[in-house]
Amino acid sequence: MSAWRATRQMLQTIAGHGWRSHSSKPAQNLHIGKPGAGFSFELTDEQKEFQATARKFAVEEIIPVAAQYDRTGEYPLPLIKRAWELGLMNAHIPESCGGLGLGSFEACLITEELAYGCTGVQTAIEANSLGQMPLIIAGNEHQQKKYLGRMTEEPMMCAYCVTEPGAGSDVAGIKTKAEKKGDEYVINGQKMWITNGDKLHPSSLFYNRYFLLARTNPDAKAPASKAFTGFIVEADSPGIQIGRKEMNMGQRCSDTRGIVFEDVRVPKENVLMAEGAGFKIAMGAFDKTRPPVAAGAVGLAKRALDEATRYALERKTFGKAIVEHQAVSFLLAEMAMKVELARMAYQRAAWEVDAGRRNTYYASIAKAFAGDIANQVATDAVQIFGGNGFNTEYPVEKLMRDAKIYQIYEGTAQVQRMIIAREHVGKFKA
């Protein structure tokens, strides 16, 4: 506790000397010096400091144990606690709730570095932001201070419960129902693939609550914009049944489970915004969290590029390092191009958030492109490693497995293209 308080005090000192202003004021967040000066790609000193802290943590504490967590599937409790102590978790929580209130741009810088170390660890950490975002954008003052404030006082987790066995990309197909009875809602249904879905781990790290999307309008023909309601559900509420931990293809230390809600009672005070506003809140949260997801994909791709480059400099064939063969050097060049462009994409999407603009178009571009190039770059890294790349003694096979989920969670690559097409064509119809 004392370590975290000291770290937070240091970070808030940074914030007080310019960090917060760069996060919340569009002109300064653009790094514009004076009218007509254009913009700069240079990070501020404060941004560099956060980036360096996250990078040091990833290199010195995450990478040395990442392979072990991948093999066992064990939840990375020590790393999550350490990230909390360093102030690398819950970056979005407002200052009014005891948080740092960082902008999306700064949070993405941190996320890229954590993902460089291990995207399983990064996803466990970043899932907190997804679970928090509905409260940040739609919670009232009481709800925010009660549920977000807790997370700045001790390491706690939360989860975003939207996906169901029969409703992933088709969010409007959700079957979980909430029926109002007096001053309460009674919730029944099943959620699936919930990151950080376990409500209690064998340690002092425990779960605060879930954001849950449920149908409150019984009319099957009701539009999604009016049919669903967002709820804050206490994780220890009676009637919540936690499923087994799923052993996935990649990101294995991230905890993913199914959750059953059986006659779970939620007070009306835990409705976010208003009955029927849930779909809008859920989609709004994705606009804010897709840039960090893209940043995570970039972190993985950068790690794959670095590993492949180091290997190409050391491995020799036909009397010279393989990096000297044009086939390999051109492959590295393609990988580098993709990493740089994907980084620019997520930074633009994050910048739009901090500028107070609707970023749906850019968020989907960043998420789709970064997810795709993470898979391409990781696959190319395995190719450069050759037979060694197919072996678990080398790091790139894990990166290849970890990369795939970036084309699936928080909106598949195909759904992103649907959104991009809709937004693009809409500009011409306006």
Side-chain angles (χ1 to χ4, degrees):
M1 179 66 73
S2 58
W4 183 84
R5 291 189 185 281
T7 302
R8 189 176 74 165
Q9 185 176 17
M10 180 271 289
L11 296 180
Q12 287 178 326
T13 299
I14 294 173
H17 288 83
W19 177 274
R20 185 72 180 114
S21 64
H22 284 288
S23 302
S24 58
K25 296 180 181 179
Q28 291 186 353
N29 202 40
L30 274 167
H31 313 302
I32 293 177
K34 54 186 177 180
F39 67 95
S40 171
F41 287 102
E42 182 69 20
L43 300 179
T44 66
D45 290 341
E46 294 83 3
Q47 290 167 340
K48 289 178 182 177
E49 190 160 353
F50 269 86
Q51 186 182 57
T53 299
R55 182 174 299 164
K56 185 174 187 292
F57 174 57
V59 171
E60 296 183 1
E61 301 188 49
I62 296 179
I63 290 178
V65 297
Q68 176 64 17
Y69 279 117
D70 179 64
R71 283 191 293 269
T72 65
E74 181 184 354
Y75 196 66
L77 288 173
L79 293 177
I80 289 177
K81 288 182 178 180
R82 181 62 176 151
W84 183 85
E85 290 174 355
L86 291 171
L88 299 176
M89 283 181 66
N90 309 323
H92 297 293
I93 292 180
E95 291 176 308
S96 60
C97 299
L100 296 173
L102 301 187
S104 181
F105 190 92
E106 291 78 25
C108 284
L109 293 178
I110 293 171
T111 294
E112 180 183 340
E113 299 302 329
L114 296 180
Y116 185 94
C118 174
T119 56
V121 174
Q122 175 264 317
T123 294
I125 292 172
E126 190 59 38
N128 252 18
S129 295
L130 180 58
Q132 294 163 0
M133 197 54 65
L135 260 174
I136 292 173
I137 65 176
N140 59 41
E141 182 179 358
H142 172 73
Q143 290 169 338
Q144 289 186 351
K145 288 188 175 181
K146 179 178 179 179
Y147 293 104
L148 297 178
R150 294 177 184 177
M151 306 186 83
T152 67
E153 297 169 356
E154 55 186 320
M156 303 181 78
M157 308 302 287
C158 62
Y160 183 89
C161 298
V162 173
T163 300
E164 296 184 0
S169 296
D170 181 16
V171 176
I174 284 175
K175 302 298 183 185
T176 297
K177 297 180 180 180
E179 181 181 359
K180 190 172 184 181
K181 293 186 177 181
D183 291 336
E184 296 179 318
Y185 287 83
V186 180
I187 298 174
N188 285 281
Q190 182 179 1
K191 299 296 181 178
M192 189 60 195
W193 308 118
I194 306 303
T195 303
N196 287 348
D198 196 3
K199 65 180 179 181
L200 181 64
H201 281 289
S203 71
S204 62
L205 181 70
F206 61 96
Y207 281 71
N208 181 359
R209 44 85 197 169
Y210 303 125
F211 165 75
L212 181 133
L213 189 67
R215 176 177 285 275
T216 46
N217 190 327
D219 183 0
K221 296 182 179 180
S225 60
K226 298 180 180 179
F228 302 99
T229 300
F231 295 92
I232 304 166
V233 182
E234 295 273 6
D236 58 356
S237 299
I240 295 178
Q241 303 170 29
I242 307 298
R244 66 179 175 83
K245 173 183 168 61
E246 301 292 335
M247 287 304 294
N248 296 321
M249 173 182 176
Q251 299 195 5
R252 291 175 174 169
C253 68
S254 173
D255 191 282
T256 308
R257 299 172 185 261
I259 304 176
V260 174
F261 296 83
E262 184 175 352
D263 292 332
V264 176
R265 294 183 174 273
V266 178
K268 66 179 183 179
E269 291 78 14
N270 281 24
V271 169
L272 282 173
M273 193 176 290
E275 186 172 307
F279 187 83
K280 180 180 179 181
I281 295 169
M283 296 303 100
F286 280 141
D287 282 349
K288 304 296 190 297
T289 59
R290 280 173 179 157
V293 171
V298 171
L300 183 150
K302 181 61 165 64
R303 173 75 183 282
L305 172 61
D306 288 356
E307 295 288 354
T309 303
R310 283 192 286 266
Y311 186 83
L313 288 166
E314 297 172 358
R315 174 70 169 169
K316 292 184 177 181
T317 61
F318 305 103
K320 58 184 177 181
I322 62 173
V323 75
E324 296 179 28
H325 296 292
Q326 190 179 74
V328 174
S329 64
F330 275 20
L331 192 56
L332 289 170
E334 292 283 346
M335 295 161 71
M337 290 160 57
K338 291 171 181 175
V339 170
E340 293 295 336
L341 290 172
R343 181 179 291 120
M344 292 177 69
Y346 88 64
Q347 291 184 348
R348 173 61 187 271
W351 177 90
E352 292 285 337
V353 173
D354 293 337
R357 299 174 181 173
R358 181 173 177 268
N359 77 326
T360 304
Y361 177 68
Y362 292 106
S364 287
I365 287 176
K367 204 276 183 181
F369 185 68
D372 286 350
I373 71 99
N375 280 270
Q376 295 163 10
V377 172
T379 300
D380 288 342
V382 171
Q383 191 67 27
I384 289 172
F385 271 72
N388 289 335
F390 197 65
N391 188 276
T392 58
E393 292 299 314
Y394 292 83
V396 289
E397 65 86 26
K398 175 182 181 297
L399 297 177
M400 186 174 176
R401 287 187 288 105
D402 288 347
K404 184 57 191 174
I405 193 63
Y406 282 109
Q407 292 178 313
I408 300 174
Y409 65 9
E410 290 208 35
T412 66
Q414 291 69 38
V415 166
Q416 302 312 312
R417 283 162 171 79
M418 290 170 59
I419 295 170
I420 294 164
R422 181 193 69 207
E423 295 291 316
H424 172 68
V425 174
K427 296 175 185 177
F428 288 81
K429 291 182 177 181

